[in-house]
Amino acid sequence: MRIFRHVENRELSVCLQSDEIRRSDAVLIATPEYNRSVPGGLKNAIDVGSRPPFQSVWDGLPTAVVSVSPYKLGGFGANHHMRQSLVFLNMPVMQQPEAYLPEVAVMFDDQNRIKSPETRDFLAKVIGSFANWVALIRGEDARAGTGQDKRQFKNA
């Protein structure tokens, strides 16, 4: 993804991505940690999607964050830094389970499969919990009766 300095510089590819995001049921953000934060390209994509003001493609989208790191902390800094931005964008973020994946460089075998059964089980739990989180948030929108949710959700 290209880095953009001004909303006016948006290209068709970004606009198409924005339309795809608007039609999404939810967002699962998977990010490496760079200097206790997220990569600039990811932050830029979030920022571009938040413009123009009051027309953010992110508004109300249920979200989960998975972070990875080559170190033992597993991307804790990136995960929490991303969550700070998501709160401002009105993206309800799944609180548990938190997903930090440490030492990602040695996590995979030579077939690019996760070596550890415990890690595979944990990631399955994260995905299952995220599916439940999305259903819960969608149910809250329906019960609230605000009529402000413009997305068409697919059956999970």
Side-chain angles (χ1 to χ4, degrees):
M1 170 170 274
R2 294 181 181 94
I3 303 296
F4 297 95
R5 286 183 274 181
H6 303 286
V7 174
E8 296 82 26
N9 291 340
R10 288 214 255 181
E11 294 182 2
L12 181 60
S13 63
V14 174
C15 294
L16 290 174
Q17 290 171 342
S18 295
D19 290 341
E20 290 174 16
I21 293 165
R22 284 188 206 287
R23 292 189 304 268
S24 298
D25 295 340
V27 177
L28 174 62
I29 296 172
T31 182
E33 181 172 281
Y34 288 6
N35 299 319
R36 300 283 190 255
S37 188
V38 297
L42 173 59
K43 180 64 169 77
N44 187 249
I46 299 283
D47 291 344
V48 168
S50 73
R51 300 291 185 262
F54 307 108
Q55 296 177 34
S56 172
V57 299
W58 310 113
D59 187 39
L61 272 175
T63 308
V65 180
V66 176
S67 55
V68 299
S69 173
Y71 308 107
K72 291 192 182 293
L73 288 177
F76 173 85
N79 198 301
H80 282 264
H81 189 225
M82 176 72 356
R83 288 168 180 265
Q84 289 173 333
S85 295
L86 302 178
V87 167
F88 175 77
L89 296 172
N90 192 36
M91 297 175 74
V93 181
M94 181 176 76
Q95 301 301 307
Q96 294 292 325
E98 294 180 299
Y100 316 121
L101 302 177
E103 301 177 319
V104 73
V106 297
M107 186 178 292
F108 298 92
D109 64 18
D110 57 358
Q111 301 295 313
N112 291 323
R113 289 186 222 126
I114 297 172
K115 294 178 192 176
S116 163
E118 292 84 8
T119 301
R120 284 193 301 271
D121 291 347
F122 172 70
L123 289 173
K125 178 181 178 182
V126 169
I127 295 301
S129 296
F130 185 49
N132 290 339
W133 175 247
V134 171
L136 176 68
I137 296 302
R138 290 190 315 193
E140 286 179 358
D141 285 345
R143 285 192 301 270
T146 63
Q148 294 183 7
D149 191 2
K150 300 171 192 78
R151 292 181 192 84
Q152 297 296 315
F153 294 106
K154 300 172 196 136
N155 291 332

